[in-house]
């Protein structure tokens, strides 16, 4: 009974706790209206109660603790901790398989998966490849532009094209995407002008695309804040009886942030129609995954929030599509959110301001290069007789034109006023920001005089 702890007097509470840790726990008959309840209770019995051991409580490492002979019997049943198990959730249903879902292996061979059937036609498969190739070419152009001083900084998506393209392709047109700052390939899949998404890295305070035109929210630089935006949007859509699903991207580093954990918990409690898509690229800037979590995997964290976790090969565009489509359909049917972990690798540094050679070995980079998502998909298309020289030439030409378009758009774009950095936050900026603003103004004026 949930009310027992509240009603118990301080003197009764220790006895109640001791009784829970006694043999009565192990011999209790599973109760509950469903098999799930019984399974949960059975699991608890196997693991034993999570209270102080008999030896610890008795201060005796040899004699098991038994109820004191002179201890009075409790005058009530005490709290039944089994009743604290959520009867609607079976943890076995939520646990991910440690073996990631893979439909396309490194040799380009396709393997069917009973749980994630592939429903794509030949033109869809070609389109997935095209999006990945264009994304990689534009990504390289963005790096070049940053090196030439046209972008302030840039976060590359090289190596993560399959994770982004496959997942974004699984959405319906009316679904929404809430990206972090690395989702160039997802934006291309949604049809956003490639130059528009790069304006953010030029120092402007907004991207240059209409979120409502593409159902693609603005890129978010703060780590994990977009997860709350996505969950809130999904909840609002459900209240409006709008069958929208929100796909929320973030990296493994974001799982260490409070915002992300709050979003996961909120979505689980209210069964928000959203999909959390973690691109586990192995590093949060220079911090490896082993320093981010002690969980078996990021997908396992879904259990704690009452949602299923799924792992997939993030360099396999077909697995990314199929698993995300399953999760999207699940959310749209009212079955709640899913946490997907796409295992991939960040081939470039965290951003162009980072020196990745200081914390990872060249051998590691070369190893992950063998998982390249584009070459894998190219081999697959050839095996399926979906590859022609004309098709390859057309894709290459489109990628070249997109890169040229980006270069022209960025070079022609006006440089923002640096002083705008201090606008749009405070009606009356605090004194320290006013001093910083005046200092910057003086430096800019001095630079003009030189």
């Amino acid at each position: 009974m949930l009310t027992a702890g509240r009603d118990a007097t301080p003197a009764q509470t220790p006895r109640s706790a001791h009784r829970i840790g006694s043999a009565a726990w192990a011999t209790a008959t599973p109760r509950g209206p469903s098999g799930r309840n019984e399974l949960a209770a059975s699991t608890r019995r196997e693991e034993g109660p999570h209270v102080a051991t008999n030896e610890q409580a008795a201060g005796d490492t040899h004699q098991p603790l038994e109820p004191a002979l002179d201890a009075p019997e409790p005058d009530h049943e005490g709290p039944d901790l089994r009743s604290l198990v959520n009867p609607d959730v079976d943890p076995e249903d939520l646990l991910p398989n440690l073996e990631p879902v893979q439909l396309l292996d490194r040799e380009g061979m396709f393997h069917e998966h009973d749980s994630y059937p592939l429903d794509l036609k030949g033109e869809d498969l070609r389109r997935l490849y095209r999006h990945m190739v264009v994304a990689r070419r534009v990504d390289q152009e963005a790096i070049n532009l940053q090196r030439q001083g046209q972008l302030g900084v840039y976060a590359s998506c090289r190596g993560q094209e399959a994770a982004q393209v496959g997942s974004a392709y699984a959405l319906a047109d009316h679904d929404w995407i809430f990206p972090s700052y690395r989702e160039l390939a997802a934006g291309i899949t949604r049809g956003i002008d490639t130059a528009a998404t790069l304006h953010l890295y030029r120092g402007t305070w907004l991207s240059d695309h209409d979120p409502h035109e593409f159902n693609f929210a603005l890129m978010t630089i703060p780590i994990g804040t977009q997860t709350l935006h996505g969950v809130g949007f999904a909840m609002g859509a459900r209240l409006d009886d709008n069958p929208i699903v929100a796909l929320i991207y973030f990296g493994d580093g974001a799982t260490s942030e409070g915002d992300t954990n709050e979003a996961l918990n909120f979505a689980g409690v209210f069964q928000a129609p959203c999909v959390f898509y973690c691109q586990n690229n192995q590093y949060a800037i220079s911090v490896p995954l082993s320093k981010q979590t002690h969980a078996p995997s990021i997908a396992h964290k879904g259990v704690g929030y009452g949602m299923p976790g799924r792992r997939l090969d993030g360099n396999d565009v077909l697995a990314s599509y199929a698993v995300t489509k399953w999760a999207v359909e699940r959310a749209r049917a009212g079955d709640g959110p899913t946490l997907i972990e796409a295992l991939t690798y960040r081939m470039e540094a965290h951003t162009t301001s980072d020196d990745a050679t200081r914390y990872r070995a060249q051998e590691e980079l070369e190893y992950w290069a063998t998982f390249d998502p584009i070459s894998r998909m190219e081999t697959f298309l050839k095996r399926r007789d979906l590859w022609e020289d004309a098709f390859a030439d057309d894709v290459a030409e489109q990628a070249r034109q997109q890169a040229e378009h980006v270069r022209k758009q960025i070079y022609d774009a006006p440089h923002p006023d640096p002083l705008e950095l201090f606008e749009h936050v405070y009606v009356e900026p605090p004194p320290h920001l006013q001093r910083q603003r005046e200092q910057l103004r003086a430096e800019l004026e001095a630079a003009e005089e030189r």
Side-chain angles (χ1 to χ4, degrees):
M1 296 292 290
L2 286 171
T3 57
R6 182 189 61 193
D7 296 337
T9 65
Q12 292 169 330
T13 302
R15 292 198 302 272
S16 300
H18 172 77
R19 184 173 183 274
I20 294 164
S22 70
W25 174 279
T27 58
T29 301
R31 294 191 299 176
S34 68
R36 289 184 173 184
N37 277 339
E38 295 167 357
L39 176 60
S42 175
T43 302
R44 286 294 185 91
R45 287 199 302 276
E46 293 174 358
E47 296 176 351
H50 295 284
V51 296
T53 64
N54 293 345
E55 292 78 7
Q56 290 169 333
D60 185 339
T61 58
H62 302 290
Q63 299 299 323
L65 182 65
E66 295 294 339
L69 296 177
D70 58 349
E73 288 294 324
D75 56 1
H76 59 79
E77 290 295 327
D80 182 354
L81 293 192
R82 291 168 300 182
S83 66
L84 299 179
V85 175
N86 187 342
D88 298 324
V89 179
D90 182 350
E92 294 293 333
D93 292 341
L94 307 181
L95 283 171
N97 194 330
L98 279 177
E99 185 69 25
V101 176
Q102 184 186 73
L103 302 184
L104 199 61
D105 63 24
R106 280 193 290 178
E107 286 71 39
M109 291 291 293
F110 178 73
H111 305 276
E112 291 187 358
H113 196 297
D114 292 340
S115 299
Y116 306 104
L118 196 64
D119 59 352
L120 297 176
K121 299 179 180 178
E123 190 54 38
D124 294 311
L125 299 172
R126 285 183 163 190
R127 194 170 292 125
L128 292 175
Y129 174 81
R130 183 184 296 271
H131 289 327
M132 289 195 293
V133 172
V134 171
R136 179 162 298 186
R137 182 64 184 87
V138 173
D139 185 81
Q140 183 58 55
E141 191 65 29
I143 294 175
N144 297 342
L145 287 167
Q146 194 282 325
R147 299 304 188 205
Q148 296 165 11
Q150 293 299 321
L151 298 178
V153 69
Y154 178 67
S156 170
C157 68
R158 182 181 178 88
Q160 300 180 214
E161 296 92 344
Q164 296 184 22
V165 171
S167 54
Y169 203 78
L171 296 176
D173 290 341
H174 59 269
D175 292 329
W176 271 71
I177 286 177
F178 289 81
S180 65
Y181 46 78
R182 203 184 294 278
E183 275 69 51
L184 173 71
I188 289 174
T189 307
R190 294 296 267 184
I192 300 176
D193 185 339
T194 48
T197 56
L198 295 179
H199 279 283
L200 180 69
Y201 291 105
R202 195 173 173 78
T204 53
W205 53 283
L206 288 176
S207 294
D208 195 24
H209 75 273
D210 180 0
H212 292 278
E213 181 180 358
F214 301 99
N215 291 2
F216 193 95
L218 300 177
M219 286 194 174
T220 309
I221 296 295
I223 306 301
T225 54
Q226 79 281 4
T227 59
L228 288 167
H229 304 163
V231 173
F233 190 95
M235 288 296 299
R238 193 176 72 175
L239 291 173
D240 290 340
D241 290 328
N242 196 327
I244 291 176
V245 173
L247 177 60
I248 306 167
Y249 289 108
F250 54 98
D252 46 291
T255 63
S256 299
E257 295 290 334
D259 282 9
T260 303
N261 288 276
E262 291 163 10
L264 287 161
N265 191 59
F266 191 90
V269 170
F270 294 99
Q271 293 290 277
C274 58
V275 177
F276 295 93
Y277 194 97
C278 176
Q279 294 174 78
N280 178 2
N281 64 16
Q282 311 300 319
Y283 288 95
I285 307 183
S286 61
V287 181
L289 180 66
S290 60
K291 301 296 184 184
Q292 292 288 332
T293 180
H294 196 57
S297 75
I298 290 175
H300 277 79
K301 293 188 173 186
V303 180
Y305 301 105
M307 67 182 72
R310 293 294 183 270
R311 309 183 84 213
L312 60 86
D313 180 351
N315 286 19
D316 174 1
V317 68
L318 302 185
S320 178
Y321 166 83
V323 176
T324 306
K325 187 170 186 291
W326 169 84
V328 168
E329 292 178 347
R330 182 176 178 277
R332 206 186 311 283
D335 294 332
T338 301
L339 172 58
I340 294 176
E341 177 185 9
L343 296 160
T344 182
Y345 193 79
R346 194 189 70 211
M347 298 302 292
E348 295 288 342
H350 170 64
T351 69
T352 48
S353 299
D354 176 35
D355 180 7
T357 63
R358 301 180 65 180
Y359 54 84
R360 67 181 186 187
Q362 180 65 23
E363 291 78 10
E364 182 179 295
L365 198 66
E366 293 172 355
Y367 170 75
W368 276 95
T370 63
F371 290 87
D372 184 73
I374 294 179
S375 60
R376 187 188 301 193
M377 189 62 175
E378 178 179 328
T379 303
F380 168 72
L381 293 177
K382 291 177 178 176
R383 291 180 185 275
R384 287 291 182 101
D385 293 329
L386 294 170
W387 185 271
E388 300 164 355
D389 290 343
F391 166 71
D393 293 342
D394 184 57
V395 172
E397 177 60 18
Q398 181 181 352
R400 188 196 65 78
Q401 291 181 5
Q402 284 292 317
E404 182 179 349
H405 167 71
V406 166
R407 173 166 289 275
K408 288 182 178 178
Q409 291 294 313
I410 294 299
Y411 264 98
D412 292 340
H415 289 278
D417 180 3
L419 293 174
E420 196 178 36
L421 175 69
F422 297 93
E423 303 294 337
H424 313 298
V425 177
Y426 294 99
V427 174
E428 296 182 3
H432 72 283
L433 290 183
Q434 293 183 28
R435 288 195 298 271
Q436 291 179 22
R437 179 187 174 90
E438 291 309 312
Q439 181 179 352
L440 178 59
R441 183 196 301 279
E443 292 177 355
L444 292 172
E445 291 176 352
E448 289 181 357
E449 292 175 357
R450 288 197 295 267

